[in-house]
Structure formats: C-alpha cells, structure tokens
Amino acid sequence: MKRQFTFLSVLFLISISLFASNNTENKKKYYNPKQILATVEKVADWQLNSWKKDGMIYPKWDWTNAAGYVGMYHLGTISKKSDYHDILLSISKELDWNTGPERFYADDYCIGYTYSKLSLKHKDPKMITRFRLLADSIVAQPHTESLEWKNEINHREWAWCDALFMAPPALSMLSIATKDPKYLEITDKLWWKTYDYLYDKEEHLYYRDGSNFTKREANGQKVFWSRGNGWVMAGLVLLLDNMPKNYSTRAKYISLYKEMAAKMASIQQPDGSWHTSLLDPERFDVIETSGTGFYTYAILWGLNNGTLDKATYLPVALKAWKALESAIQPNGMLGYVQPIGWQPAAATQSSTAIFGVGAFLLAGTEMYKYTKKSKIAKN
Amino acid sequence: MKRQFTFLSVLFLISISLFASNNTENKKKYYNPKQILATVEKVADWQLNSWKKDGMIYPKWDWTNAAGYVGMYHLGTISKKSDYHDILLSISKELDWNTGPERFYADDYCIGYTYSKLSLKHKDPKMITRFRLLADSIVAQPHTESLEWKNEINHREWAWCDALFMAPPALSMLSIATKDPKYLEITDKLWWKTYDYLYDKEEHLYYRDGSNFTKREANGQKVFWSRGNGWVMAGLVLLLDNMPKNYSTRAKYISLYKEMAAKMASIQQPDGSWHTSLLDPERFDVIETSGTGFYTYAILWGLNNGTLDKATYLPVALKAWKALESAIQPNGMLGYVQPIGWQPAAATQSSTAIFGVGAFLLAGTEMYKYTKKSKIAKN
Amino acid sequence: MKRQFTFLSVLFLISISLFASNNTENKKKYYNPKQILATVEKVADWQLNSWKKDGMIYPKWDWTNAAGYVGMYHLGTISKKSDYHDILLSISKELDWNTGPERFYADDYCIGYTYSKLSLKHKDPKMITRFRLLADSIVAQPHTESLEWKNEINHREWAWCDALFMAPPALSMLSIATKDPKYLEITDKLWWKTYDYLYDKEEHLYYRDGSNFTKREANGQKVFWSRGNGWVMAGLVLLLDNMPKNYSTRAKYISLYKEMAAKMASIQQPDGSWHTSLLDPERFDVIETSGTGFYTYAILWGLNNGTLDKATYLPVALKAWKALESAIQPNGMLGYVQPIGWQPAAATQSSTAIFGVGAFLLAGTEMYKYTKKSKIAKN
C-alpha cells in the first residue's frame, strides 16, 4: 500500500509538472522556432518589398547588397518560401554573373559568395566563370605588400577588417563550388596576414585599419568599431563552414573565434547589444543592430556546433536576440542599423540598411536552428 | 499767362527729355533684360543641341553635368520655355534618381540639388528617397578625420574647395525638400571645417586642397585657382538661398561672402575676367569663363539681394558680364572654359564644358533679374 | 667537250641544289608566312569565340580589353577576314565611343587608340568627338605634379610604366586622325617626364612605379617586371609608328628603343621567354607570354624597319616566337599569361587574358610581315 501510494504520488507529481510545462508553453514561455522563422521572414520580406517599391539604393553588385544576399541565402535554406533564393538568382542573371568594377577590392567580389552558392545549387559552373578568373588573378599575386593604410592598399589587399567578411566566405565557397582547394589556400594565407596586422592581441579585437592604431576615444580607450568586428566574426564563421574539419590551420581559427567570442561576451551592453564604439559605448549610447546581428549569428553558430559552451554563451545570445527583436518596427523594417561608414557613428530608430538586415537574417537563421533542436525558456 | 507759359515750357522740356530717353533706348544704351534672356537661352540651347547631337561626354550623374544642371534649373525659373526643366526631369528619370557611385564623394552627389529641386516642384518625395538615405549616412558620420590631402580623404570629407559647390547646395536644398533641418546642420558643420583648413585668412581665398599650401607660382605668389574659388563663391550663394534668414551662423557666411567679394573685385583683370591663376594672371594670360561666370553670379546675387553696395560692385559685375559675352561664339557655344582640372591651366577660344555653361547660366539669370528691376546704362 | 661537260655538271649541280632547296621547303624548314598567319588567326579566333561564349570578363572600355584591341586591329590589317575590325567597330558603337570613367587615368583612355584608328578608316570624325575633348583636357593641364607614388598620382599622371602603353599610342594616333599635332606634343612631353622618373639608367629598364625603387628580390636584384617593361617597349614602338620621321626628338626614342632591346636580348631566358621577374627569373621559373609577346613584337618591328641588326636580333626574335607558339593550346587558347597584376607573379599553363592575346597578335603580325619579305630558315 505504501509503495502504491508512492507510485501514484509520483504519477500525480509528473502530471502536475507536465500540466505546468504545457501551461508554460501556452503562455509562450519557450522560444518557438516557427515564430522565430516568421519574424525573420517578416524582416526579409520588408526588404524585398522595399526593393520592389524603391529599387536598390546602390548597385546590385555593391557590397552593401552583396553582404545582405548572404543572409538572404541562409534564410532560403530554412524557409519553405522560394522567394529568397529566387531573388538572388534573378539579380545574378541581371548582373550576368559579373563582380564589381574594382578587380582586387574585396568589397567588389563579396557577391562571389552568392554566385558560388547558386552555382553549386544549380550545378552550373558557368555562373562562376568570371568570379573564378578573378580569383585566379588573386591567387597569382605574391601579396607581399604591407597593409599600411596608404596608396589605396585596400584596393589590392585585405587591409581593413571589413574585408574579412567580403572576401574569405566568397573565396572559400568558390573552392567548394570548383573542388579546387587553391582559393581556400589563398584565403588561409591572407586571413593571417590581416590578423598579424590588424588584430590587437591584448584587446582581442580588430582595428578597422592601420590609420586607427594611434587613435583614442574621449575616454582614453582604443577605437574598435562594432560593425567592423562583426564583419570579422561573421566572416570567420562563414569561412569555418567552408573549411574541411581536418584543415591544417582550423584549430587556429577556432582558437581565434573563441577568444573573440569571450571578448564580445565580456563587453555586451546591459541592453543586450553592442554599441558602435565597443570600448566607449557611451559615445553613441544606443543599440546598434548590424554589429549585434553579426555577433549574435557568430555566437549562435558556436552553440549550434558545440564550439561554445551553453552555460556561458546562451544567455549572451538570447539577450542579444531580444535587443535585435526590439529594433524591428511593426512593418518589419529593421532599425538601429548604423549607416554606411568606417568607424563608430550614430544609429537611430529609423536607420536601416540591407547589410544590417543581412546580419539579422544570419542571426535569425541560427536562432531558428537552435530553438528547433533545443527547448529554451524565455524569461 | 506767365504761369501758362511756364506750364507749357515744363511740358515741352519733359517731352524733350522723354524723347531723348526713348532715343537712348533705341540706341540700346541700357541693358535690356529681354536681350539678356535671349543671350542666356542661346547659350543654353547650344548645350541642349550638343547633348542631342553628340550625347554627353561624361555620365549623366557626373559632377561635370550635375554642376551644369544647377544653372539650367535656375534659367528654367525665368524662361518661358519649359525645355530647361524638362531635360532635367528626363535625365533624372533615366538615372532613376540615383546619385553617383562613390557614396561620400561630394562630386557624386552634386546631382542631389537637382533631385531636391524637382522633388519640391513636383511634390514627389520619391524623387529624393535615395539621395535622402545617402544624406542620412553623411549625417551619421562623426567627421572627425583631418582634411590633410592623403588617404583619398576627398572620398569621405570636403577636403578640396570644389566640394563646397558640389555638396552644400544639394544638402541644404534637401533640408527644404524634406523639411528636416539636419541636412542643413551637417552642411553648416562641415562648411566651417573646410573653411578652417583651406581658407587663407590673409589672402581671403581658398586653397584647392592641402597639397597646395606650400606651392608657389613662378612670380612667388601662392597658388589660388580661379574656378576653385568660383566653386566656393557660387556654392556659398546657393547655400545662403537655402538658409533661413535667422539661422544662427548666417552672419558668418555673409561676412565671408563680403570678404571674398572684396578680394575678387580687387584682383579682377583689365579684361573683366579672372584668369586661372588668380595671383599670377600672366601665367595663363587669357580670359577664363568658368571662374568668371561663378564670380559674376555671386556678385550679381549680392546686388540683387542688397548684400553688396552698387557703387563698388555693379561696375565689377558689368565688366565681368561683358567678358563673358565676348566668349560666346556666334552659334551660342561658350568658349574659354578651362577644361576639367584641379589647378590653374590654359583655356582657349574653343574650349567649352557643361559646368562652364552652367556658371554662365547662373550669372545670366541674375543679370536678367537685376536688369529687369534696375535700369543700367551701357557704356 | 670538257667545257660542255663542265657546263652540264654545273647545270646538274644547280638542279640538285634547287631540288634540295625545294625539298627543304616541302619539309617546312623555312618559316611560312601563311602558316604564321593561320596560327595568329587561330589564337584571335579563340578569343572571339570566348567573348561570344562567356562574354567579356571586364567592361568593354577597360584597359584589359582595350590593350587587346590594339593587337586585334593590327591583325585586321594583314588578315583577309574582316572579323577583327568588325568586332572592334561593333564594340565601339556599343560603347558609344566613350572612354572609361576616370578622366585622367591612362588605363581608361587606352581605347582611344582603337577609336582613332577606326575614325581614320571610316573617315568619321564623330567617332573621336569624346576622346578628343578628353585629350584637350589632358593637353590643358600643366602636368607639374611629381610622379611620386602617392595621392593616387596615377589617376592624373603617367606615374607607372604600364601607362606608356595605355596613353602614348592613343594620343599620338589621335594627332594623325585629327591632323592636330598637339596630342603628339603632349605625349612627347609626358613620355620623358615618366622616363626621367621611372627609367633606371644603369639597368636600362623601367620600374613599375616609384614604390619599387627600394624593393629588392630575394637574390638581391632590383624588381623589374616583365609585362611592365613590355608595356613600355610596345608603347614605344606604337608611338614611333605615329611619329613623323623628322620629329625633333625621334632620335632620342630610337636610342632608348635600342638600349632596351639590347638589354632584353641580354636577359632572354634559355627557354626563349622572359620570366615575370626580369632580374630574378628563378623566382617564378616559367615562361610568361604577355611580356614575351610585347618584346617579340618590339624586336620584330625593329627588324622589319631596319632599326635593329639582323645578326644579333633575329635569333632572339625567333627563339621568343617559338616560346610563344609553345604556349598555344590545341584549341587556340594562349596560356602562360600572367594574370592581371602590378609586379612579378606566377603564370600557369592555363592562365590566359585578352591583353596577353593582344601582345601575341602584335608579335604575330610583325612575324608575318617579316617572313613574307625574308626567307628565314627554321632550326
């Protein structure tokens, strides 16, 4: 009798707890991947509508758009709607699979990522004929020039941190699309050249370019730009996706990734975002969604891949995700994107830009994946 | 009887004097606004025909043309013909209201002046959607970089004096078109940044850019470029047109305007023009119509607005106007425009360019306004 | 009887020798101009087909293509097929006879050579309306700036050696097309400005630009780039073609030409080519066809014109020609072209580019002319 009572008690307790849990779900106390996907699609759809209505602000091959296409492509891999890949195919055809006008300027071949992805998807090597010829030229260069910020060095070398998003994902994806490892090899070589020059090994952050080494914020701190470091972390994660698990230098990338992730966690703002001046957040004292989007993406990627530990980084990611969600306007427009620039500057409620949307789509896609496999309580 | 006689005598004298006056007009001893308008339209029509026949030399969004559109627009406000505004609307539509490719390069958004004007005229805010987004980016920058002439600073800041024509009229007009004062505010801030760096407070002239501080002409004088200072004076006047009468810093602009006008009056050449090297006029010893056009415009504007005194400046303006007229060929082509450049250089009888025509149209429009309200004797 | 025998013997010996000679020709021991033309056309046709199939990699006005058009035009003057001139006319019309976007950047008006040639051929001055206006601007500049490699000087002056191919042939050809000598005069002036700055009077070679003065190869030698010096020699020869025989400075050009030809002969590699680093050929230890093509062209031009002596230079030219032929793939693709760059770098069997093809077409056209008038034994 005592045993039976115990058994029933346990059953009862389980029922109670199941009921409670169910109840919690009804009250949406857990993240719902479907809802997340709906949010992400809403933001993407606002962008598609804006293109339809007003056209693109900058040329279709421009980095502003090309960076956005990366997020659009990722969303297309989890969405049931074909719109996100369709638009990229249509744009690429209109561009006749050309990259931008400046041959060795990373900004101008960022779009090679999209071409390579589409070439793989459609099994059509002609989509990357031109990008491949360009990449062959990049491979052929000795790349012996210093990254000192003069003589338009950014038109030849990855001499500013944004380049680490523009170029490595595109070139490493080209290696997958062509099965020729040389584009990954040059990426590997040039990644560390930029690392040696722009990475501050004390602060674990990248300078935007060499002209910033001696600049200081009003509070005496070095100048580290949020979106700039966001370009690096997102570029790093996209590169890791394209790199064989047994690649010789992979461990170095992972180590860099963890070091930067730890730094980002340590300087996250109470509002969940990162402000445009990472070490002087009061200078522009407001959330900023392009840098935050990239960090959220990069950290969620580490959680999805088991590279980062959940106890430390999940709270960071969720707090950042909330900040991002708070910047979405009722019509789906993502606000608080710092406009085009090259240093910390203001973002406002109404400032949006396609590359900021792209960062959000990357973050949202990882958030969807994470919440689909792991139940996460909202709080 | 005596009174009647006196009365008749007065009548007679009045008749005589009226006859004399009429006679003088028949002999065209006064400027005739209709004739001036006809001359201005003839020059503008030559340009329109040249575009029709040979196309534009440079892209439609390019500063060369965009600077010309400013004069074309102004002429359109006094002409009975709709051609001058029609062509601008047609070009703008063809460009889909895009500015040039380089985001922060003042040359590439000079055309924003025309877009803003047309947006106001047609009450269509979509005409400035793109220019406004670009301007938002400009507003968002901290603009803390030095104007030192290196690292392509002109692609980010108003580091050369031409920029003061390319940018301030466009941005201040955008403030009027959008009723948002922030574009005028950034203009105000950046105007004085350039003033502090490039204005020579002894010579009351602008250096073209920082690379000219130490250069000297063969005669030992500093190098000041006529068209360069013409860009400044015309830009200043266009900005003043867009600035509320009670704007906090307006008095500073007026004071700068008067200072430069006095300087220009003091170095006008005997031929009525300003040569390409302002302080070494013998170097290229010939009239030049782009700089002269801008100065004539700026000085007539001051006469029309009561900012300059007639006794001093009307003779300067009339002498300059004559020099301009002398450069018009029988078919309406304006000659003696120094070709595209960045320093004093030669102009020839047959050298023309749209931005020089634009300067003439601005000057001619003010000349028309002045002669319409004031009778000016020719001599 | 003895005399008759002798006479018959001589006849017999002559017959034998004639037969032997004939026999040698049947065995193709002499270069056959028809075969050479067929080879050159095959390479050109591969290029035309590649354009048809994949489009052009870079814009139609771009220097990469414009440099290729020069060779295509020359081939058109010896070929019975009209394809080579037809395609140039069609491209020029599509471009509406515009040069590239950067006004004073020699790369962007290289295409003026083709426009001027076509304008002459079709007796249509409208084909050069725009190029001429641009050239007028170039003539109007004082060109007093130093060629020091900073402040984007290459956008205003011929501050890198490639410019000597891009600009002088185009401007000097414009003087022929317009019968106005001033374009040749400015070319003459600017040629020697670049010579003074970039020519190493000890090595008899051109530095690529001022940033190379202090660089050294691993073997301690100065850095001289093969294609860079190829641009110079081919540009020099094209300029000489456009220069009156009695031109005041012609002797100086001829002297420079001979000096460089002697240098090239002395550093030709055993494989018949010039490697990308002229003084450190082991650095990229492989034939390279763009530099080699230009040298072969320039040397054969000197042989055809009697400027170089046959004993010394014919063996150099033939050895180089063989190296070029060895780089042609069975389908007509010219390989071993160093990709776009600005310094010595690798070339591979499969690396091709239109400007390398252009160099080959120039060389092949001169080779055809030479073999047509002189019997040359193969060995």
Side-chain angles (χ1 to χ4, degrees):
Chain A
M1 185 69 192
K2 182 145 185 233
R3 274 181 79 141
Q4 196 168 6
F5 169 80
T6 310
F7 177 71
L8 284 171
S9 302
V10 169
L11 251 184
F12 177 77
L13 286 169
I14 288 171
S15 307
I16 293 270
S17 94
L18 277 174
F19 174 81
S21 149
N22 238 333
N23 205 23
T24 315
E25 265 184 337
N26 285 344
K27 290 181 186 169
K28 290 174 186 165
K29 287 217 174 159
Y30 287 83
Y31 280 96
N32 179 341
K34 277 187 192 165
Q35 278 182 350
I36 285 166
L37 183 55
T39 300
V40 181
E41 289 179 340
K42 184 178 181 182
V43 169
D45 291 346
W46 178 89
Q47 185 66 58
L48 295 185
N49 282 330
S50 153
W51 282 342
K52 226 172 266 171
K53 199 164 61 86
D54 295 325
M56 286 187 177
I57 311 294
Y58 295 110
K60 293 193 171 60
W61 47 260
D62 191 60
W63 67 263
T64 45
N65 296 313
Y69 304 158
V70 177
M72 203 66 89
Y73 194 93
H74 280 235
L75 170 57
T77 63
I78 60 163
S79 170
K80 279 173 186 152
K81 300 205 278 180
S82 69
D83 306 32
Y84 311 116
H85 285 185
D86 288 351
I87 182 82
L88 299 183
L89 187 61
S90 149
I91 289 166
S92 301
K93 282 178 178 169
E94 203 183 322
L95 287 169
D96 209 8
W97 309 94
N98 278 306
T99 55
E102 281 263 12
R103 270 170 271 272
F104 297 101
Y105 188 29
D107 277 0
D108 280 13
Y109 58 87
C110 175
I111 197 170
Y113 181 87
T114 298
Y115 293 164
S116 303
K117 277 285 195 190
L118 290 171
S119 168
L120 265 171
K121 187 184 169 189
H122 295 280
K123 299 189 178 57
D124 183 351
K126 296 197 69 159
M127 293 174 174
I128 46 173
T129 301
R130 286 173 179 164
F131 178 42
R132 190 173 189 171
L133 276 157
L134 174 74
D136 287 345
S137 295
I138 296 168
V139 168
Q141 300 304 326
H143 296 289
T144 49
E145 239 180 315
S146 149
L147 299 188
E148 208 181 330
W149 193 248
K150 59 176 198 183
N151 294 337
E152 301 186 77
I153 181 66
N154 55 327
H155 293 248
R156 297 180 301 282
E157 297 285 328
W158 303 349
W160 75 117
C161 70
D162 315 28
L164 299 181
F165 182 93
M166 305 303 161
L171 288 173
S172 57
M173 186 57 70
L174 183 64
S175 265
I176 293 179
T178 59
K179 292 183 183 145
D180 184 336
K182 74 180 169 189
Y183 311 112
L184 175 58
E185 279 158 23
I186 191 73
T187 301
D188 184 37
K189 177 180 159 183
L190 296 183
W191 179 282
W192 297 107
K193 182 178 178 181
T194 304
Y195 170 91
D196 288 342
Y197 197 75
L198 290 182
Y199 190 63
D200 185 308
K201 287 169 194 73
E202 285 171 23
E203 295 291 0
H204 297 171
L205 292 169
Y206 275 78
Y207 289 99
R208 196 275 182 173
D209 59 60
S211 75
N212 289 283
F213 291 157
T214 55
K215 286 184 191 158
R216 292 294 177 272
E217 296 285 9
N219 70 356
Q221 295 289 318
K222 295 174 181 171
V223 179
F224 291 109
W225 180 35
S226 180
R227 182 156 69 236
N229 281 277
W231 290 126
V232 176
M233 284 202 78
L236 177 49
V237 155
L238 288 159
L239 171 55
L240 282 165
D241 267 344
N242 296 341
M243 186 181 277
K245 294 285 181 252
N246 61 353
Y247 200 72
S248 63
T249 53
R250 188 177 176 96
K252 275 175 72 185
Y253 289 95
I254 294 290
S255 160
L256 170 62
Y257 166 75
K258 286 185 172 172
E259 197 168 270
M260 290 189 77
K263 179 68 182 191
M264 298 327 301
S266 78
I267 59 174
Q268 187 177 28
Q269 293 303 301
D271 61 25
S273 87
W274 288 263
H275 295 186
T276 54
S277 180
L278 288 172
L279 302 190
D280 187 5
E282 280 77 28
R283 184 167 165 216
F284 300 100
D285 197 8
V286 68
I287 66 165
E288 197 283 323
T289 54
S290 66
T292 299
F294 285 133
Y295 299 139
T296 309
Y297 163 57
I299 290 169
L300 281 166
W301 177 92
L303 291 167
N304 277 326
N305 288 272
T307 313
L308 296 180
D309 77 283
K310 189 175 154 182
T312 311
Y313 289 98
L314 184 57
V316 174
L318 296 182
K319 208 169 155 189
W321 178 253
K322 267 194 197 166
L324 291 174
E325 282 191 321
S326 77
I328 305 170
Q329 299 192 358
N331 65 355
M333 189 193 95
L334 181 74
Y336 289 106
V337 180
Q338 181 195 334
I340 295 173
W342 50 86
Q343 57 190 332
T348 66
Q349 200 184 351
S350 64
S351 55
T352 192
I354 168 61
F355 50 82
V357 170
F360 177 81
L361 303 185
L362 284 170
T365 302
E366 291 300 312
M367 185 70 183
Y368 169 82
K369 287 180 189 169
Y370 193 84
T371 54
K372 217 180 161 194
K373 65 179 185 186
S374 317
K375 211 170 191 175
I376 320 172
K378 282 189 171 180
N379 50 17
Chain B
M1 186 66 194
K2 181 143 185 239
R3 273 184 80 141
Q4 198 167 4
F5 170 81
T6 312
F7 177 73
L8 283 169
S9 302
V10 168
L11 251 183
F12 176 76
L13 287 167
I14 287 172
S15 305
I16 294 269
S17 92
L18 277 173
F19 174 81
S21 148
N22 238 337
N23 204 25
T24 315
E25 264 185 336
N26 286 344
K27 291 183 183 166
K28 289 175 186 163
K29 287 216 176 161
Y30 288 82
Y31 282 95
N32 179 341
K34 276 187 193 164
Q35 277 182 349
I36 283 165
L37 182 56
T39 300
V40 181
E41 288 179 342
K42 186 179 181 181
V43 170
D45 291 346
W46 177 90
Q47 186 66 58
L48 296 185
N49 282 329
S50 154
W51 282 343
K52 228 173 263 169
K53 199 165 61 86
D54 296 326
M56 287 186 175
I57 312 293
Y58 295 110
K60 294 192 171 61
W61 48 260
D62 191 59
W63 68 263
T64 45
N65 296 313
Y69 303 158
V70 177
M72 203 66 89
Y73 195 92
H74 280 235
L75 170 56
T77 62
I78 59 163
S79 172
K80 279 173 186 152
K81 301 204 279 179
S82 68
D83 305 33
Y84 311 116
H85 285 183
D86 288 351
I87 182 83
L88 299 183
L89 187 62
S90 148
I91 288 167
S92 302
K93 282 178 178 170
E94 203 183 319
L95 287 169
D96 208 7
W97 310 94
N98 277 306
T99 56
E102 282 262 8
R103 269 171 272 271
F104 297 101
Y105 188 29
D107 277 0
D108 281 13
Y109 59 86
C110 175
I111 198 170
Y113 181 87
T114 298
Y115 294 163
S116 303
K117 277 285 195 191
L118 290 171
S119 168
L120 266 170
K121 186 185 170 189
H122 296 278
K123 299 189 178 58
D124 183 352
K126 295 196 71 158
M127 293 174 174
I128 45 172
T129 301
R130 284 172 181 163
F131 178 42
R132 189 174 191 171
L133 276 156
L134 176 73
D136 288 345
S137 295
I138 295 167
V139 169
Q141 300 304 326
H143 296 288
T144 48
E145 239 180 315
S146 150
L147 299 188
E148 207 181 332
W149 193 249
K150 58 177 198 181
N151 294 338
E152 301 186 77
I153 182 65
N154 55 328
H155 294 249
R156 298 181 299 285
E157 297 285 328
W158 302 349
W160 75 118
C161 70
D162 315 27
L164 298 182
F165 182 92
M166 305 304 160
L171 288 173
S172 57
M173 186 56 71
L174 183 64
S175 266
I176 294 178
T178 60
K179 292 182 184 148
D180 184 336
K182 73 180 170 189
Y183 311 113
L184 175 59
E185 278 158 23
I186 191 74
T187 301
D188 184 38
K189 176 179 160 185
L190 296 182
W191 179 282
W192 296 108
K193 181 178 179 183
T194 302
Y195 170 91
D196 288 342
Y197 197 75
L198 291 182
Y199 190 63
D200 184 309
K201 286 168 195 71
E202 285 170 25
E203 295 290 0
H204 297 172
L205 291 170
Y206 274 78
Y207 289 99
R208 196 274 182 174
D209 59 61
S211 75
N212 289 283
F213 291 155
T214 56
K215 286 184 191 156
R216 291 295 176 273
E217 296 287 7
N219 70 355
Q221 294 291 316
K222 295 175 181 170
V223 180
F224 291 108
W225 180 34
S226 179
R227 181 158 66 239
N229 281 275
W231 290 127
V232 176
M233 283 201 77
L236 176 49
V237 155
L238 287 159
L239 170 55
L240 282 165
D241 267 343
N242 297 341
M243 186 182 276
K245 293 285 180 250
N246 61 353
Y247 200 72
S248 63
T249 53
R250 188 176 176 96
K252 276 175 71 185
Y253 289 95
I254 294 290
S255 160
L256 170 63
Y257 166 75
K258 287 184 172 174
E259 196 169 270
M260 290 188 78
K263 178 69 182 189
M264 297 328 301
S266 77
I267 59 174
Q268 187 178 27
Q269 293 302 300
D271 61 23
S273 87
W274 288 263
H275 295 185
T276 53
S277 180
L278 287 173
L279 302 190
D280 187 5
E282 281 78 30
R283 182 166 167 217
F284 300 100
D285 197 8
V286 69
I287 66 164
E288 198 283 323
T289 54
S290 66
T292 299
F294 286 132
Y295 299 138
T296 310
Y297 163 57
I299 290 168
L300 282 166
W301 177 92
L303 290 167
N304 276 326
N305 289 273
T307 315
L308 296 181
D309 77 282
K310 191 175 154 182
T312 311
Y313 288 98
L314 184 57
V316 174
L318 296 182
K319 209 171 158 188
W321 178 253
K322 268 193 197 167
L324 290 174
E325 282 191 323
S326 76
I328 304 170
Q329 301 192 358
N331 65 356
M333 190 193 95
L334 181 75
Y336 289 106
V337 181
Q338 181 195 334
I340 295 172
W342 51 87
Q343 56 190 332
T348 67
Q349 199 183 352
S350 65
S351 54
T352 192
I354 169 61
F355 50 83
V357 171
F360 178 82
L361 302 184
L362 285 170
T365 301
E366 291 301 312
M367 185 68 184
Y368 170 81
K369 287 180 188 168
Y370 193 83
T371 54
K372 220 183 157 191
K373 65 179 185 190
S374 317
K375 213 171 190 176
I376 319 173
K378 281 190 172 181
N379 49 17
Chain C
M1 183 73 191
K2 186 152 182 223
R3 271 183 82 138
Q4 198 170 1
F5 170 82
T6 310
F7 177 73
L8 283 169
S9 300
V10 168
L11 251 185
F12 176 77
L13 286 168
I14 286 170
S15 306
I16 293 269
S17 94
L18 277 174
F19 174 82
S21 149
N22 238 333
N23 205 22
T24 314
E25 264 186 336
N26 286 342
K27 289 183 183 165
K28 291 175 186 163
K29 287 217 175 161
Y30 288 83
Y31 281 95
N32 179 341
K34 278 188 192 164
Q35 277 182 351
I36 284 165
L37 182 57
T39 301
V40 181
E41 288 179 339
K42 185 178 181 181
V43 170
D45 291 345
W46 178 89
Q47 186 66 58
L48 295 185
N49 283 329
S50 153
W51 282 342
K52 226 172 265 169
K53 200 165 60 87
D54 296 325
M56 287 187 175
I57 312 293
Y58 296 111
K60 292 191 171 63
W61 48 261
D62 191 59
W63 67 265
T64 45
N65 296 313
Y69 303 158
V70 177
M72 202 67 89
Y73 194 92
H74 280 235
L75 170 57
T77 62
I78 59 162
S79 170
K80 281 175 186 150
K81 301 204 279 180
S82 68
D83 306 32
Y84 311 115
H85 285 184
D86 288 351
I87 182 82
L88 298 182
L89 187 62
S90 147
I91 288 166
S92 302
K93 282 178 177 169
E94 203 182 322
L95 288 169
D96 209 7
W97 309 93
N98 278 306
T99 56
E102 281 262 11
R103 270 169 272 270
F104 297 100
Y105 187 30
D107 278 0
D108 280 13
Y109 58 86
C110 176
I111 197 168
Y113 181 87
T114 298
Y115 293 164
S116 302
K117 277 285 194 190
L118 290 171
S119 168
L120 266 171
K121 187 184 170 190
H122 296 278
K123 299 188 178 57
D124 184 351
K126 297 197 68 160
M127 292 173 173
I128 46 172
T129 301
R130 285 172 180 165
F131 178 42
R132 190 174 191 172
L133 276 157
L134 176 73
D136 288 344
S137 295
I138 296 168
V139 169
Q141 299 305 326
H143 296 288
T144 49
E145 238 180 317
S146 149
L147 300 188
E148 206 182 331
W149 193 248
K150 59 176 197 182
N151 293 338
E152 301 186 78
I153 182 66
N154 55 328
H155 294 249
R156 296 180 301 283
E157 297 286 328
W158 302 349
W160 74 119
C161 70
D162 315 28
L164 298 182
F165 182 93
M166 305 304 160
L171 288 174
S172 57
M173 186 56 71
L174 183 64
S175 265
I176 295 179
T178 60
K179 292 182 183 147
D180 184 336
K182 72 179 171 190
Y183 310 113
L184 175 59
E185 279 157 23
I186 190 74
T187 301
D188 184 37
K189 175 179 161 185
L190 297 183
W191 179 282
W192 297 108
K193 180 177 179 183
T194 303
Y195 170 90
D196 288 343
Y197 196 76
L198 291 183
Y199 190 63
D200 184 310
K201 286 167 194 72
E202 286 172 23
E203 295 290 1
H204 297 171
L205 291 170
Y206 274 79
Y207 290 99
R208 197 273 180 176
D209 60 61
S211 75
N212 290 282
F213 292 156
T214 55
K215 287 185 191 158
R216 291 295 176 271
E217 296 285 9
N219 71 354
Q221 294 290 317
K222 293 174 181 171
V223 179
F224 291 109
W225 180 35
S226 180
R227 182 159 65 239
N229 281 276
W231 290 126
V232 176
M233 284 201 77
L236 177 49
V237 155
L238 288 159
L239 170 56
L240 282 165
D241 267 343
N242 297 341
M243 186 181 277
K245 293 286 180 250
N246 61 353
Y247 200 73
S248 63
T249 53
R250 187 178 177 96
K252 275 175 72 185
Y253 288 96
I254 294 290
S255 160
L256 171 63
Y257 166 75
K258 286 185 174 173
E259 197 169 271
M260 290 188 79
K263 178 69 181 190
M264 298 327 302
S266 78
I267 60 173
Q268 187 178 28
Q269 294 303 300
D271 60 24
S273 86
W274 289 264
H275 294 185
T276 53
S277 180
L278 288 172
L279 301 190
D280 187 6
E282 281 79 28
R283 182 165 167 219
F284 300 100
D285 197 7
V286 69
I287 66 165
E288 197 282 323
T289 54
S290 66
T292 300
F294 286 132
Y295 299 138
T296 309
Y297 163 58
I299 290 169
L300 282 165
W301 178 92
L303 291 167
N304 277 327
N305 289 272
T307 314
L308 296 181
D309 78 281
K310 190 175 154 182
T312 312
Y313 289 98
L314 184 57
V316 173
L318 296 181
K319 208 170 157 188
W321 178 254
K322 266 192 198 166
L324 290 174
E325 283 191 323
S326 77
I328 304 169
Q329 299 191 359
N331 65 355
M333 188 192 97
L334 181 75
Y336 288 106
V337 180
Q338 181 196 334
I340 295 171
W342 51 86
Q343 57 190 333
T348 66
Q349 200 184 350
S350 64
S351 54
T352 192
I354 169 61
F355 51 83
V357 170
F360 178 83
L361 302 185
L362 285 170
T365 301
E366 290 301 311
M367 186 69 184
Y368 169 81
K369 288 179 187 169
Y370 194 84
T371 55
K372 217 180 160 193
K373 64 179 187 189
S374 317
K375 212 170 190 177
I376 320 172
K378 281 191 170 179
N379 51 16

